[in-house]
Amino acid sequence: MSKVRVCVDVMGGDEEPQVVLDGIDAALAADTELEVLAVGPAELVEPFAASRDRVEALVAPDVITMEDDPIKAVMTKRKSSIVIACRAVKKGTAQGFFSAGATGAITAAATAYVTPFRYEADGKREPIRPCITTAVPNRAGGLTVLCDMGANPDVEVEDMVRFGQMGAVYSQLVCGVAHPRVGLLSNGTEDTKGSHFTKACFPAMRDAVPGFVGNCEGTDLLAGTVDVVVTDGFAGNVALKATEGAAKMIMSELKGALLSSLSGKIAALLIKSKLSALKEKLSGDAVGGAILLGLKGVVLIGHGATSVEAVKNGTLATARAIRAGLVEKVAGSMDGLVE
Amino acid sequence: MSKVRVCVDVMGGDEEPQVVLDGIDAALAADTELEVLAVGPAELVEPFAASRDRVEALVAPDVITMEDDPIKAVMTKRKSSIVIACRAVKKGTAQGFFSAGATGAITAAATAYVTPFRYEADGKREPIRPCITTAVPNRAGGLTVLCDMGANPDVEVEDMVRFGQMGAVYSQLVCGVAHPRVGLLSNGTEDTKGSHFTKACFPAMRDAVPGFVGNCEGTDLLAGTVDVVVTDGFAGNVALKATEGAAKMIMSELKGALLSSLSGKIAALLIKSKLSALKEKLSGDAVGGAILLGLKGVVLIGHGATSVEAVKNGTLATARAIRAGLVEKVAGSMDGLVE
């Protein structure tokens, strides 16, 4: 394995920073070629870095919280861990960034500072629209990629084409699918189904997205019938949140049913660990977190309810994406990029 | 209870017509003031009606199948059970119609023949857009209404306002919620979240929909945090199908986990009946099926994988909606209707 350097946000997540620091230690133990740039307040990152060979401190006195308005916070809290980390990736001080902080703020800071690839339109260089991508385990035992999962509630046809192209590369490099089947999320699988918008996307994706298999529907997200589900961030968010809601409902119904009898209580113990493992996998932990595709650097977002294991996995996943050349291969999947 | 007459589609559903006939018998036994107009081929409905006091036959030689193109089938198969039934409701031969046939065809036929209420715009009378509505059980032990669940992938702001008004009446009359909380499905609960379209709907719904509580998200569909979830048919379909997919995934994971050990096999038996009951409830069986709101008659759609119990429940639910005056009260919830 080659040496890589990942910037990790010590202030990301709902837990104490110590959880993140322990997660970094676990990642360093698992990957001996990994170096970490720990970003956060001096009193945390400096002593942590001083006592470790493969850690450097990057001091960031400010913190962006889950309550902050994302855009405003990125503009005003220039010394926050998220902004400073994104600038470090841009400068090349680190090749990737992992944070379990606020998704909106990380997306805004990464778009502003890590910056998206650009294409030329009418003589001007325009940034492509990055998308937040995750992979969820499916019933066929594989992983299904969902892009966009919430960054962009309103998109254009050409954005959806790029989401499909980028999602396919992610499926190949991260989920190990040689020839990903890419589906367009719709309200039915027939070619004639869809909104005006998805009907406009259909022929454009058919022409430009390798492995395009046509429309898919909400059930396909976890079925293993397609490898990549392409949608705008509005429907993507609805699909993910509905999945989460169904999981909660079923688990609460099961709990009620099981705890009402002694034999049921025994059954509950038997399935408890299975259920919580599944719950974690469904929230994106299977691949370490959500990734921003289309940027000139690897930026991975863990979910806020974090743990030592989740920080370790997210940091290692960031390192793997860097080593796999994800950024370059994603850029190579799209026509007409100028930088 | 008052006498009501419900038209039931003998050819609806994936099962043998005998399942529907048995379901009608079960409904007649449960509701002694119910009369049924059984619509289907003469050789089925005539002998069935001849041997029963409260059944009349309505002969329909044609059948619209799940494979037919809905609009085309309704236009060409004028002697199909679905078209003939909708015309019977329009004429008043029956006050409502229950079918487990093809949703698209029933929606098309009901819109064409039962017809929606109208409003006046620029001196012309325009039909309002009906919506397909269902109710799913929520974690709070109640029922959450979802409208639209798939009929209209592209809608206008005024359609969404009416969906909210109609959904609230449905929640009151069918789910027994005195003051329904109506949410707008979005990609987050904050007021600022949404697509351009839902952001345009927000103020219009706030002004015109009683009980409007702002944005809700996919998790709210089953959480019991709102009583009515309003959305276009595209996102509504995505939400419902994602819910269905999650249920399938969790059940298959549980099965795998449980069947791998003897104690697990015992646990599987314990939760099996609970799981299948929940699966049925999530597919709309809790209220007998999906209903078309905004039409001048009660039209209820059961799902295709039907059973004697489902036909019985759907027929009884249709009768209850008629007795509750659902059609008139739905019309009364909207301003500016002219007929």
Side-chain angles (χ1 to χ4, degrees), chain B:
Chain B
M1 280 195 299
S2 57
K3 275 211 187 310
V4 291
R5 180 184 281 209
V6 174
C7 185
V8 178
D9 183 4
V10 171
M11 301 311 288
D14 297 335
E15 298 298 319
E16 292 292 300
Q18 189 59 45
V19 171
V20 179
L21 296 176
D22 291 346
I24 293 173
D25 275 336
L28 289 166
D31 182 342
T32 54
E33 299 295 302
L34 171 71
E35 293 177 1
V36 168
L37 191 63
V39 61
E43 65 273 23
L44 283 173
V45 294
E46 283 179 347
F48 183 73
S51 56
R52 279 155 186 88
D53 278 348
R54 287 182 280 134
V55 178
E56 269 187 49
L58 183 61
V59 174
D62 269 3
V63 179
I64 296 179
T65 69
M66 297 287 180
E67 285 69 41
D68 282 324
D69 175 79
I71 310 275
K72 209 170 124 188
V74 167
M75 280 164 56
T76 55
K77 294 187 170 178
R78 306 289 291 268
K79 299 275 178 207
S80 61
S81 57
I82 289 173
V83 170
I84 286 183
C86 287
R87 299 184 75 155
V89 173
K90 176 67 173 177
K91 278 195 291 187
T93 319
Q95 294 146 282
F97 174 41
F98 172 74
S99 173
T103 302
I106 298 168
T107 306
T111 305
Y113 296 109
V114 181
T115 73
F117 286 97
R118 287 165 182 262
Y119 66 101
E120 203 162 286
D122 304 325
K124 281 199 303 186
R125 293 187 165 192
E126 298 285 349
I128 66 160
R129 194 190 288 270
C131 68
I132 306 190
T133 304
T134 194
V136 289
N138 60 46
R139 281 191 286 138
L143 291 166
T144 306
V145 172
L146 176 69
C147 53
D148 179 73
M149 60 175 267
N152 310 285
D154 295 287
V155 299
E156 306 293 329
V157 171
E158 54 265 41
D159 298 320
M160 294 281 279
V161 169
R162 291 198 193 97
F163 292 175
Q165 293 164 334
M166 297 193 286
V169 170
Y170 186 76
S171 173
Q172 286 176 322
L173 290 190
V174 175
C175 309
V177 179
H179 301 287
R181 296 158 297 173
V182 181
L184 170 61
L185 186 63
S186 188
N187 58 332
T189 54
E190 303 89 339
D191 286 4
T192 52
K193 282 291 173 87
S195 62
H196 293 150
F197 176 66
T198 65
K199 283 180 185 167
C201 294
F202 192 103
M205 291 181 68
R206 188 186 51 208
D207 294 348
V209 177
F212 182 65
V213 295
N215 285 331
C216 63
E217 53 183 14
T219 43
D220 291 305
L221 182 58
L222 301 178
T225 40
V226 294
D227 303 298
V228 181
V229 173
V230 178
T231 183
D232 61 79
F234 188 90
N237 183 282
V238 166
L240 269 190
K241 293 283 177 67
T243 301
E244 187 187 329
K248 277 189 188 164
M249 170 85 179
I250 293 168
M251 289 174 194
S252 102
E253 287 274 318
L254 276 182
K255 211 172 157 189
L258 293 173
L259 298 186
S260 61
S261 75
L262 178 62
S263 44
K265 282 178 190 155
I266 299 165
L269 282 174
L270 288 167
I271 58 173
K272 201 177 162 192
S273 63
K274 187 76 188 171
L275 282 178
S276 37
L278 180 63
K279 207 170 147 189
E280 273 182 30
K281 281 202 290 178
L282 285 176
S283 58
D285 272 6
V287 287
I291 194 160
L292 282 163
L293 294 180
L295 297 179
K296 295 174 185 169
V298 174
V299 178
L300 211 83
I301 309 170
H303 60 89
T306 196
S307 65
V308 173
E309 191 69 13
V311 172
K312 174 191 156 192
N313 290 342
T315 306
L316 294 176
T318 307
R320 276 198 305 275
I322 295 164
R323 289 196 181 106
L326 184 68
V327 167
E328 299 73 22
K329 284 176 183 149
V330 160
S333 73
M334 291 172 284
D335 287 334
L337 295 194
V338 288
E339 52 168 330

Side-chain angles (χ1 to χ4, degrees), chain A residues 247-265:
Chain A
K248 277 189 188 164
M249 170 84 180
I250 292 168
M251 289 175 193
S252 104
E253 287 273 319
L254 276 182
K255 209 172 160 189
L258 292 174
L259 299 185
S260 61
S261 75
L262 177 63
S263 44
K265 282 178 189 156

